[in-house]
Amino acid sequence: MSAKTLLLLVPAITALILAIVLFPAFDTTRSRTPVADLVVKNAVIYTSDSAHPFAEAMAIRLGRILCVGNYSSVQDFIGSGTEQLDVEGKLVVPGFIDSHVHLIPGGLQMQRVELRDASSRVEFVQKVRKAVEGKTKGSWILGGGWNNELLGKELPAASWIDDVSPENPVWLSRVDGHMGLANSLALKMAGITKDTQDPAGGTIVRATNGEPTGLLVDSAMKLLLSSVPEVSIDERRDALVRASRLALKRGVTTVVDLGRYFPGVSAELVWRDFSDVYQWADSTGKMMIRVCLFFPMETWSRLFDLVKARGQAISQWIYLGGAKAFSDGSLGSNSALFYEPYVDEPQNNGLQLTDKDWLLEMMMTLDKLGLQIAVHAIGDKANELMLDLYDSISSTNGLRDRRLRIEHAQHLRPGAIKRFGQQSVIASVQPDHVLDDANSAERKLGVDRAQNGSYLFRSLLSNGARIAFGSDWPVADINPLQGIRTAVRRTPPGWENAWIPSERVKPSDALNAYTISAAYACFLDHDLGSLAPGKFADFVVLSTSSWDDFEENLSASVLATYVGGKLAYSSD
């Protein structure tokens, strides 16, 4: 037997050994070989496994992969009860992992006032007017998604909507979740007046006479949100179902959920969702996708107790990720923290939402306990602050596999790019934010700062950094195929050319960032992220019939989504 032949047999031999260990049930009438529940054949399988990137068939038993290779390598696993799925030459990829979502807020937003497409003041007001119709006096009108860049770059105000909502308090969050608009009745109910002081890490936007305009930025939102009634358990459970169905439709089989945790929102809500929604869904068999949960950093002791008692895997559906905090705000709300001021607000460098000393103390404690850390940082100063703190943690606590994360990492100075790779810090980034910021970044930061430091995906990869792609849904759509197109092309709607074309990435890099790298970024690469023996059989069947076509056209759509080897969504 030649060395080449032996090498080709290695995946099948490895799969057989794993199968015997992992799956002790056999068809004794045939042999000692385990019988697959499902065999996928006649496929172009992109595995996201660098050792064996492509295959044509896959055998699955009890939700996990037995073997990936050519059709002959899986035939020994076919028995009388094996279903054979002929995908007719279509491309099969690992189930997408969205590395940053707010799943329940996204599900709730699907039933609320949706302002994402509002492109004028008139349309904005009409949507609010329609939402108020039929509502009882005093009931809250909630929603969001508005983007002042689409409203003629004009920030909305309470005066826009007061006439159409005189008896109903209104709260409408900006698309990024770092700013929101309240009508005058909501401001009154929250006790926000001309004399109310800005809280630390937040801003009450005011007119020239000092009166609040209705806009609240970052931590100032908590002044109002405490007045908004809590969403019922049933509404939150329904939101999980809606969100999960949408995720499956888009080929997403796992999400990293940062919870209902935005600046100004109570950290307790995340824990309520864990017990009232996720544990309920898990115990009643209603989980459809896998979730990796991150919890507010200030609640670290509860998280540590839970991890100590249960480990990372609560079940095959729920994983405990780590703790999250905020370093700054957002570019769209002019609250991301920069070294230099905003061009359109020369007195404003953004907001540092969390005290540096508190962050360091908390993170040092969490790291000593072995908990993973993720911190939101968008501006260049916020990112370097986090890199400095992470370096202090590693230097003090010693070397180990930490997988520290920076969420967003949108704007970086040249020196910071290398540090991600050198310090093994994961950049958890969202490609589709490029579509929102391309039209505003140069105006807010100036051409040079924007062009040389925004969404540096290729530079991060070239400097040895791990990047994990996500959507930040409901801030942007939960749609990995769209995110891949954006990362590869970087062409916003209406543009003829790419924005910062030197930062475009290869399709394989983008796909890996939604699969194996995303799994690595939350310590789930032993179970998820690639189609390899022993891992969960989460995969997506795409409409394209070749890898070359996928790379060249990026026009594929999701035909079917499988979770644990079972059909969870079909376009039919």
Side-chain angles (χ1 to χ4, degrees):
M1 182 180 295
S2 69
K4 182 178 180 181
T5 302
L6 182 60
L7 185 62
L8 290 173
L9 289 175
V10 167
I13 295 170
T14 303
L16 186 56
I17 293 171
L18 283 169
I20 293 171
V21 173
L22 294 172
F23 308 107
F26 305 102
D27 182 349
T28 56
T29 63
R30 305 173 60 249
S31 68
R32 295 287 296 173
T33 304
V35 176
D37 301 317
L38 176 69
V39 163
V40 181
K41 64 181 183 179
N42 191 17
V44 178
I45 301 176
Y46 179 79
T47 66
S48 288
D49 180 354
S50 58
H52 308 285
F54 289 97
E56 64 182 24
M58 177 168 56
I60 298 161
R61 178 177 172 81
L62 300 178
R64 290 186 183 262
I65 298 169
L66 285 171
C67 177
V68 182
N70 55 30
Y71 184 64
S72 63
S73 69
V74 305
Q75 282 183 317
D76 285 344
F77 300 103
I78 298 174
S80 58
T82 302
E83 176 189 354
Q84 296 196 50
L85 174 64
D86 185 342
V87 298
E88 300 177 345
K90 300 302 183 186
L91 179 62
V92 172
V93 299
F96 296 122
I97 300 172
D98 192 312
S99 293
H100 188 121
V101 303
H102 305 275
L103 200 61
I104 292 174
L108 291 171
Q109 178 59 32
M110 292 171 74
Q111 298 293 98
R112 293 176 172 177
V113 183
E114 179 53 71
L115 296 166
R116 183 179 298 274
D117 297 327
S119 57
S120 68
R121 174 173 174 170
V122 170
E123 188 176 1
F124 187 105
V125 174
Q126 286 177 340
K127 286 178 177 288
V128 177
R129 176 188 288 112
K130 184 176 180 180
V132 172
E133 292 176 358
K135 292 291 193 300
T136 58
K137 179 180 178 179
S139 62
W140 280 80
I141 307 300
L142 303 173
W146 58 268
N147 186 348
N148 45 295
E149 297 299 323
L150 302 178
L151 299 172
K153 300 180 177 56
E154 181 182 7
L155 286 168
S159 58
W160 286 22
I161 57 176
D162 281 344
D163 289 344
V164 300
S165 58
E167 298 180 334
N168 295 89
V170 178
W171 174 249
L172 306 167
S173 61
R174 191 183 183 277
V175 64
D176 57 12
H178 287 263
M179 177 191 289
L181 174 68
N183 68 351
S184 294
L185 178 57
L187 292 174
K188 181 178 180 180
M189 292 174 64
I192 299 172
T193 68
K194 182 178 182 179
D195 299 323
T196 305
Q197 298 297 308
D198 289 350
T203 303
I204 300 170
V205 179
R206 305 171 192 273
T208 53
N209 62 1
E211 292 290 343
T213 67
L215 290 171
L216 305 174
V217 182
D218 284 312
S219 295
M221 296 189 293
K222 67 184 179 183
L223 302 175
L224 182 133
L225 291 175
S226 59
S227 300
V228 179
E230 175 56 76
V231 183
S232 72
I233 291 177
D234 287 341
E235 287 179 285
R236 284 148 54 209
R237 290 175 177 175
D238 289 345
L240 174 63
V241 173
R242 280 193 300 272
S244 298
R245 287 175 177 164
L246 176 62
L248 290 169
K249 183 178 180 180
R250 301 290 169 75
V252 175
T253 56
T254 301
V255 299
V256 178
D257 186 8
L258 283 300
R260 286 192 293 162
Y261 187 49
F262 296 93
V265 177
S266 170
E268 181 61 30
L269 296 180
V270 178
W271 285 97
R272 290 183 194 171
D273 288 340
F274 172 65
S275 59
D276 294 345
V277 181
Y278 285 118
Q279 288 190 304
W280 163 81
D282 195 23
S283 64
T284 57
K286 292 181 170 59
M287 289 295 295
M288 303 179 197
I289 60 175
R290 307 185 204 279
V291 297
C292 181
L293 302 172
F294 275 72
F295 296 84
M297 190 169 289
E298 56 265 42
T299 67
W300 68 267
S301 61
R302 294 170 67 178
L303 174 61
F304 175 70
D305 290 343
L306 186 59
V307 172
K308 186 176 180 181
R310 304 287 295 274
Q312 185 188 24
I314 297 292
S315 70
Q316 66 171 321
W317 297 102
I318 301 176
Y319 297 87
L320 302 175
K324 184 204 175 183
F326 289 91
S327 178
D328 65 346
S330 73
L331 181 73
S333 298
N334 281 28
S335 57
L337 185 63
F338 288 93
Y339 284 103
E340 300 176 46
Y342 287 86
V343 172
D344 55 343
E345 289 185 14
Q347 305 304 314
N348 178 22
N349 287 64
L351 296 171
Q352 183 173 319
L353 300 189
T354 308
D355 179 73
K356 175 182 176 181
D357 293 335
W358 182 90
L359 259 182
L360 180 59
E361 180 182 355
M362 287 294 101
M363 293 193 302
M364 198 72 75
T365 299
L366 268 64
D367 184 71
K368 287 179 180 177
L369 296 173
L371 295 176
Q372 191 179 14
I373 298 168
V375 180
H376 164 118
I378 288 182
D380 55 18
K381 187 174 182 179
N383 276 279
E384 293 204 43
L385 169 64
M386 291 315 308
L387 289 169
D388 289 343
L389 295 182
Y390 282 168
D391 188 46
S392 296
I393 291 170
S394 299
S395 299
T396 302
N397 292 347
L399 294 175
R400 71 173 180 84
D401 186 10
R402 291 179 163 82
R403 306 189 194 182
L404 299 169
R405 298 168 58 118
I406 290 183
E407 305 299 317
H408 309 304
Q410 287 181 4
H411 305 282
L412 306 173
R413 297 202 301 184
I417 302 169
K418 294 182 179 180
R419 293 182 64 184
F420 275 84
Q422 292 168 346
Q423 297 179 213
S424 299
V425 173
I426 292 162
S428 171
V429 296
Q430 299 76 42
D432 276 349
H433 286 349
V434 169
L435 305 181
D436 294 325
D437 286 353
N439 290 305
S440 61
E442 294 180 9
R443 176 172 51 82
K444 289 176 177 290
L445 304 179
V447 174
D448 288 343
R449 284 166 64 193
Q451 289 277 344
N452 295 320
S454 300
Y455 297 94
L456 305 178
F457 303 152
R458 185 171 180 177
S459 292
L460 285 165
L461 285 170
S462 299
N463 282 275
R466 289 264 193 172
I467 63 172
F469 279 172
S471 65
D472 203 8
W473 189 68
V475 175
D477 194 11
I478 184 169
N479 190 344
L481 289 174
Q482 172 60 42
I484 290 171
R485 285 191 288 271
T486 300
V488 174
R489 292 175 175 166
R490 294 179 70 102
T491 307
W495 287 46
E496 293 184 3
N497 301 312
W499 185 48
I500 320 179
S502 61
E503 292 300 328
R504 293 178 294 191
V505 301
K506 297 185 297 184
S508 57
D509 288 333
L511 185 50
N512 288 341
Y514 270 116
T515 53
I516 189 61
S517 292
Y520 176 89
C522 53
F523 287 96
L524 294 181
D525 46 317
H526 58 286
D527 270 343
L528 304 169
S530 62
L531 299 176
K535 292 192 176 185
F536 282 120
D538 298 351
F539 62 93
V540 182
V541 182
L542 299 179
S543 58
T544 188
S545 297
S546 75
W547 176 254
D548 288 343
D549 180 63
F550 177 78
E551 283 193 306
E552 291 172 12
N553 298 315
L554 300 174
S555 58
S557 60
V558 174
L559 296 182
T561 304
Y562 285 76
V563 181
K566 295 184 178 180
L567 181 65
Y569 165 78
S570 172
S571 61
D572 293 335

